[in-house]
Amino acid sequence: VASETGEPMPFTRPASLDAALARLAEGNRRFVEERPQAPPSSAHRVELASGQSPFAVVLGCSDSRVPIETIFDQHPGNLFVIRLAGNIVNDDGLASIEYGIEVLRCMLVVVLGHSQCGAVRAALEHVRAGTIFSGHIQRIADAITPSVRRAAARDGDVWEGAVAENVRAGAQAILDRSALVRAAAAQGSVRVAGAVYELHTGEVRFLADARESHE
Ligand SMILES: [Zn+2]
C-alpha cells in the first residue's frame, strides 16, 4: 500500500482507491505507534452536522476490543461502520453496505476480522463438539461454520485460519449477493478488501486479494 501525504491528517476524501486504502493503513500505523491524530473536535463535529462523506464502509466484529475508528485513527465522518459479532454478512448488513456505496459514495468496503474472535470460536466449538448455542446466537455459529471447515482442512491453527477464511468468505458474499457492489467494483469505483486485526500488536493486516483466494 502506497504512502499518502502524511501529516496532518486531511478531512478531504482520498483521491483514489489506493489512497483510501493507504489512509486506513497509515491510520492503523499511527494507532500502533501511539501517535493518534483523530481526537474529538467540536469544530469538526459542527461541520459534519451538515452532512457526511465517509470514504470507507467497514464491516467489523462487535467485539469490544476492536473499536473501528480508534484502530484506524479516523475522525468521525470518515468511516461508515457496521458491526456484527463475527463480522458476518446478512441481509440487513448488506443493506447498510449498499447504502454506504450508493448513497454515501464510499470507495472501499473492508471486511475486518480479528484474532481471538469469540464468534469464530463459537463456530469452532459447534463443529468440534456439536455445541448448539441458545436463542439467536446459533445463527452466528452457523454463518461461520463453512469457514471453520475450510480452515480445518488446512495446516495451521484452525481458530486463526478460520478468522481469515471468514473474512474472505465475507468479502466474497458481499460481491455475490449485492449486484450493486459488484457493479461498482467492476466499474472500478469501489474495492472490496479483507483485513484481520491482531489484538496483541494492534496491527491490521490486509489480506492479499480477499476475493480470489476464496474457494
Ligand atoms: Zn469477534
Side-chain angles (χ1 to χ4, degrees):
V1 177
S3 176
E4 220 199 355
T5 48
E7 304 169 26
M9 183 172 34
F11 286 104
T12 54
R13 286 168 67 81
S16 67
L17 296 181
D18 285 341
L21 266 176
R23 199 171 284 187
L24 291 181
E26 290 181 359
N28 178 244
R29 196 178 315 141
R30 290 194 300 273
F31 168 72
V32 169
E33 294 173 358
E34 298 186 59
R35 46 180 187 88
Q37 293 178 9
S41 142
S42 55
H44 185 227
R45 188 187 65 239
V46 169
E47 190 187 315
L48 279 172
S50 60
Q52 61 170 326
S53 184
F55 68 88
V57 176
V58 180
L59 171 61
C61 182
S62 302
D63 194 303
S64 62
R65 300 166 296 180
V66 192
I68 308 297
E69 278 87 353
T70 303
I71 67 171
F72 285 117
D73 187 35
Q74 294 298 312
H75 292 289
N78 282 1
L79 303 181
F80 193 70
V81 175
I82 300 134
R83 291 176 72 174
L84 288 169
N87 40 274
I88 58 175
V89 175
N90 63 18
D91 285 346
D92 294 330
L94 276 173
S96 288
I97 292 168
E98 290 186 343
Y99 184 84
I101 298 300
E102 179 75 7
V103 179
L104 300 177
R105 298 289 164 197
C106 286
M107 307 161 79
L108 297 176
V109 179
V110 179
V111 179
L112 181 70
H114 66 96
S115 63
Q116 280 82 42
C117 181
V120 173
R121 179 81 209 174
L124 191 57
E125 284 173 27
H126 175 63
V127 169
R128 283 187 172 163
T131 308
I132 300 292
F133 297 89
S134 56
H136 290 72
I137 300 171
Q138 182 59 32
R139 292 171 68 99
I140 301 168
D142 286 342
I144 303 172
T145 289
S147 297
V148 168
R149 294 198 193 284
R150 272 195 302 276
R154 295 183 183 165
D155 293 334
D157 182 85
V158 178
W159 192 7
E160 192 183 316
V163 165
E165 287 294 338
N166 184 45
V167 165
R168 293 189 183 99
Q172 187 66 48
I174 290 166
L175 287 164
D176 287 346
R177 293 169 63 180
S178 171
L180 193 153
V181 174
R182 202 161 57 240
Q187 214 175 53
S189 56
V190 165
R191 188 175 301 164
V192 180
V196 174
Y197 174 69
E198 171 58 54
L199 289 185
H200 286 99
T201 64
E203 286 174 355
V204 172
R205 176 171 52 91
F206 282 89
L207 302 182
D209 205 322
R211 289 159 295 149
E212 286 173 1
S213 40
H214 172 62
E215 290 147 29

